[in-house]
Amino acid sequence: QVHLVESGGGSVQAGGSLRLSCAASAYTFRNYYMAWFRQFPGKGREGVARINRDSASTYADSAKGRFTISRDNAKNILYLDMNSLKPEDTAMYYCAAGYDGSWFGSSLDVPEFGYWGQGTQVTVSS
């Protein structure tokens, strides 16, 4: 079982940067594969980036070259550094953790992840 709490969202102008953080409660955090998802109003959640227990990462096309996912296993924190933000990045961002799927996979499908945070809002203005 793992409890996730996101922080770091806010409002920024286009071209700006934000760092999202996700604090995890599980002392076995290092054993989970982790990801960031986002959800637009009226839409389902879409995967943004994933990082496995070996720190291998996967990015959605929309995030490649602009976003970086990382993890600090000593502090039980997941990060998402977002640069060159665009108005179309405006969404609710969720942290997710998984243990029962593929530990070294690249899937960014919602069912792959069993634990979710409450979300943090990111708003990018033009």
Side-chain angles (χ1 to χ4, degrees), residues 29-97:
F29 173 77
R30 66 178 65 250
N31 292 334
Y32 288 80
Y33 49 90
M34 305 291 297
W36 288 98
F37 285 74
R38 63 187 181 184
Q39 187 167 16
F40 305 109
K43 303 287 186 180
R45 293 183 186 181
E46 67 173 36
V48 174
R50 168 180 172 147
I51 187 166
N52 292 333
R53 52 195 291 177
D54 62 354
S55 294
S57 57
T58 302
Y59 294 91
D61 288 343
S62 59
K64 288 178 182 176
R66 298 189 301 127
F67 295 0
T68 302
I69 190 171
S70 60
R71 63 192 299 165
D72 186 333
N73 289 334
K75 297 181 179 179
N76 285 9
I77 299 179
L78 176 74
Y79 299 104
L80 184 68
D81 289 298
M82 304 187 295
N83 298 310
S84 302
L85 282 163
K86 306 173 182 179
E88 50 264 44
D89 293 317
T90 296
M92 184 71 79
Y93 283 72
Y94 295 90
C95 169

Side-chain angles (χ1 to χ4, degrees), residues 95-112:
C95 169
Y99 191 83
D100 295 327
S102 175
W103 288 355
F104 302 106
S106 60
S107 172
L108 282 170
D109 292 337
V110 169
E112 184 85 349

Side-chain angles (χ1 to χ4, degrees), residues 7-27:
S7 61
S11 298
V12 64
Q13 289 192 327
S17 300
L18 280 175
R19 168 174 256 202
L20 304 184
S21 299
C22 172
S25 64
Y27 72 95

